[in-house]
Structures are given as C-alpha cells and as structure tokens.
C-alpha cells in the first residue's frame, strides 16, 4: 500500500511561498563545500594557459562570488565558438568538475580550430550549498530569458551576447540525482503552491535536445561516446524519461526557449544538455566527470566534422 508523501516542511500546502517562507528556506541552507577551493583555485591554475575573465559578480548577503569564464588564448575572429557551461544547477557536481577537467586535459586538442568559452560554475552559491536554486529560491535554469530573475543567468547571457564570433556549439553539463525526487521537486511544488506528484529518476545518462529544432544525429554521436564510460538511461514502461517521450536511445526533447533553459540562449547549430546519473552504484564520481568530458569531446568532434564553413 502506497502512502502519501509527507508535506514539505516549509509553507502551507496549496499556497505559494511569500517572503517569510523564502526567508525560512534560506535560513536552512548551509555551506557544505568551497567554491574558492574547488573551482577558483583550478581556474587560477589554468590562467597560465588560457585567458581568464570575470564576467560578473554575485552578492548574497556577506557572500561575494566572482563569476569566471575561461577562454582560448589564441582567440580569432575566423574561428567558431564552442560554449561549455557547467554548474547552472550548483548541486550537479560533475557538470562543474567535468567542465574544468575538459579544459585541463583536452582543450589543447582543439587549439587552432575553435574558440573555447567555458563557464564552469554558473551558480557558485548553490554549488557551495549543494542546491538547485540560488539564494532567492529561483532556478537559474528556468531564467534564461529577458525577464529572468536569476542574476546567475543574466550574467551568463550578457557574456554570451558580448561574443561577436558565431557560436557553433553549446553543451550544458548537468546531472539528474535521487535528491531531485526527495528534495528539489517537493520544494518546487511547495514554493509554487502545487501538489507534489512523485515520479521516477532515470537510471543512467541521457541528453536533452530541442523540441523545436532537433538534431538527432548529433545527439546519438554523444550517446555512443558516453556509453563507453557509463550506462545509458532506458525508457520507462511508457517509453518515456521523466515524463517525456524518448525520441531516440537516451534522448528526450524539451522546448528550450519556452522553458528558459540555458541552451536556449544561443542560435548554435549544435546544442545539448547532458544528464549524468551520479547515484548509481555502477558509477564513481570520477566516471561521472569522465562522462561529461567524453560528451564534450564527442560534441566538438562531431561539430567540426559535420559543420561546414559559412554554416555557423
């Protein structure tokens, strides 16, 4: 016999949060790891080989976070741009570490062929607190739109808008975790005054393509590369992943612009969102980061092989 899930501990069921509920939620968030130690120190180490840019600054009470981007040192106007973003959701660890690991280990493989622009940790406050939202209880990955309320998203959009060269590829590195079901979806339902509807977490890696402009061959090239590192999420009994029909093995589609997702902010020919599953007993944290790196490399390789000059 199933039982109804317990009510989220903040707010009144059926009533959206106000300032008091948001303040109570914020008071419960604690720093659990260090953006400076885990991210900024690595970015500083990379400064000897790449250009490093502070593209924004977040202030949440006494906490100040510089937002950092890593750029190719030999940036040229006649080369397309590859945009790599991680940590839009701060709790999705391998997105952050995978982006940094790619730069450290593989960026030089693409020297002279593309301009790399990497924002490895878009949401540092949430990274430190292992949370999905920012300090205002706003999801940055629903805020990539002109009226978006997340400073994290606005700063990144401004950085990308200032890039004059054509963007060929944007890959956004994410995870789907068991805590999506136990914490973040219940919190979302409580915040918005809606009932929480339990679901399932997909067991494995998958990708999110654009409903309005799908690119199935590109997505499958990434799936083939990543399955050498970790297992691919199967469809459920309804042929879906997270309630979305599986368009191809390991691939679902979302209306990116309608939802204000990170990969909607460019007109790049090649766009995708990775989703690693770190809670499987079949993978390690190192494999999760390696899967992100494999996806990035496969994406760039495909774009360079298939993309034609003048088509960016």
């Amino acid at each position: 016999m199933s039982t109804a899930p317990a009510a989220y501990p903040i707010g009144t069921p059926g009533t959206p949060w106000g300032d008091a509920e948001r303040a109570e939620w914020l008071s419960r968030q604690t720093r659990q790891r260090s953006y400076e130690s885990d991210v900024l120190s690595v970015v500083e180490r990379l400064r000897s080989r790449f250009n490093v840019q502070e593209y924004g600054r977040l202030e949440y009470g006494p906490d100040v976070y510089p937002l950092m981007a890593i750029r190719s040192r030999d940036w040229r106007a006649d080369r397309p741009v590859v945009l790599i973003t991680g940590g839009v959701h701060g709790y999705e660890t391998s997105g952050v570490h995978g982006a940094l690991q790619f730069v450290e280990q593989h960026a030089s493989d693409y020297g002279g062929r593309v301009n790399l622009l990497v924002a490895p940790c878009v949401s540092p406050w949430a990274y430190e607190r292992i949370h999905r939202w920012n300090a205002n209880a706003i999801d940055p990955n629903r805020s990539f739109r002109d009226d978006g309320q997340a400073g994290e998203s606005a700063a990144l959009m401004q950085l990308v808008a200032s890039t004059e060269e054509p963007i060929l590829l944007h890959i956004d590195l994410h995870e789907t975790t068991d805590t999506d079901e136990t914490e973040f979806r219940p919190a979302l339902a409580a915040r918005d005054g809606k009932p929480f509807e339990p679901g399932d977490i997909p067991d494995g890696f998958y990708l999110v393509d654009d409903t309005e402009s799908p690119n199935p061959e590109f997505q499958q090239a990434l799936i083939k590369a990543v399955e050498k590192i970790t297992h691919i999420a199967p469809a459920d009994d309804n042929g879906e992943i997270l309630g979305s029909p599986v368009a191809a093995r390991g691939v679902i589609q979302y209306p990116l612009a309608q939802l204000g997702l990170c990969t909607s902010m460019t007109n790049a020919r090649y766009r995708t969102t990775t989703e690693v599953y770190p809670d499987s007993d079949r993978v390690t944290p190192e494999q999760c980061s390696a899967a992100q790196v494999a996806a990035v490399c496969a994406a760039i390789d495909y774009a360079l092989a298939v993309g034609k000059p003048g088509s960016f």
Side-chain angles (χ1 to χ4, degrees), residues 180-217:
D180 286 0
E181 185 70 8
T182 60
E183 168 61 26
F184 301 123
R185 291 178 192 162
L188 174 64
R191 186 198 68 182
D192 296 346
K194 298 179 179 179
F196 169 60
E197 299 179 0
D200 296 318
I201 298 298
D203 181 4
F205 178 94
Y206 64 100
L207 295 169
V208 181
D209 198 0
D210 187 7
T211 303
E212 305 304 321
S213 182
N215 199 330
E217 293 83 6

Side-chain angles (χ1 to χ4, degrees), residues 22 29 31 59 80 89 93 97 107 129 159 176 192 221 231 243 258-259 261 263 278-279 288 300:
R22 289 175 184 267
Q29 309 310 312
R31 182 182 285 108
E59 297 185 10
H89 290 143
T93 305
H97 296 291
R129 288 152 183 84
L159 171 68
T176 301
D192 296 346
H231 56 292
Q258 179 182 327
L259 295 174
L261 302 184
T263 44
D279 294 313
C288 290
I300 301 175

Side-chain angles (χ1 to χ4, degrees), residues 34 48 68 72 87 110-111 117 138 147 164 185 214-215 222 234 241-242 289 295:
S34 170
S48 64
M68 308 305 292
S72 299
Y110 301 98
L117 177 58
I138 294 172
D147 60 350
E164 297 180 357
R185 291 178 192 162
N215 199 330
L222 275 63
I241 292 176
L242 293 179
S289 293

Side-chain angles (χ1 to χ4, degrees), residues 37-245:
S37 297
D38 296 353
V39 179
L40 295 184
S41 65
V42 180
V43 172
E44 189 60 31
R45 186 167 70 239
L46 293 168
R47 193 183 290 271
S48 64
R49 294 191 288 136
F50 300 90
N51 289 342
V52 173
Q53 173 186 359
E54 182 178 319
Y55 67 90
R57 209 165 182 85
L58 297 173
E59 297 185 10
Y60 289 122
D63 299 320
V64 179
Y65 298 96
L67 298 172
M68 308 305 292
I70 303 163
R71 308 176 71 105
S72 299
R73 180 154 288 174
D74 61 341
W75 191 285
R76 282 179 32 172
D78 60 347
R79 294 178 187 146
V81 175
V82 167
L83 174 62
I84 304 165
T85 50
V88 172
H89 290 143
Y91 72 107
E92 296 171 4
T93 305
S94 71
V96 176
H97 296 291
L100 292 170
Q101 186 173 318
F102 166 80
V103 176
E104 286 197 288
Q105 298 180 358
H106 296 282
S108 60
D109 299 342
Y110 301 98
R113 293 191 285 168
V114 299
N115 298 317
L116 288 173
L117 177 58
V118 184
C121 189
V122 175
S123 298
W125 182 93
Y127 175 84
E128 290 196 329
R129 288 152 183 84
I130 314 183
H131 213 285
R132 183 179 181 91
W133 296 339
N134 68 12
N136 298 318
I138 294 172
D139 186 340
N141 206 36
R142 297 297 184 273
S143 301
F144 286 91
R145 58 179 84 224
D146 291 341
D147 60 350
Q149 299 299 306
E152 295 84 353
S153 309
L156 184 59
M157 290 175 68
Q158 186 173 6
L159 171 68
V160 171
S162 69
T163 303
E164 297 180 357
E165 292 74 21
I167 297 178
L168 173 63
L169 162 68
H170 180 192
I171 182 167
D172 189 31
L173 309 181
H174 284 254
E175 294 181 343
T176 301
T177 72
D178 287 346
T179 51
D180 286 0
E181 185 70 8
T182 60
E183 168 61 26
F184 301 123
R185 291 178 192 162
L188 174 64
R191 186 198 68 182
D192 296 346
K194 298 179 179 179
F196 169 60
E197 299 179 0
D200 296 318
I201 298 298
D203 181 4
F205 178 94
Y206 64 100
L207 295 169
V208 181
D209 198 0
D210 187 7
T211 303
E212 305 304 321
S213 182
N215 199 330
E217 293 83 6
F218 168 64
Q219 308 294 335
Q220 284 304 303
L222 275 63
I223 292 292
K224 290 178 181 178
V226 171
E227 68 180 344
K228 299 174 183 177
I229 309 295
T230 188
H231 56 292
I232 306 304
D236 63 19
D237 293 342
N238 296 319
E240 299 176 337
I241 292 176
L242 293 179
S244 294

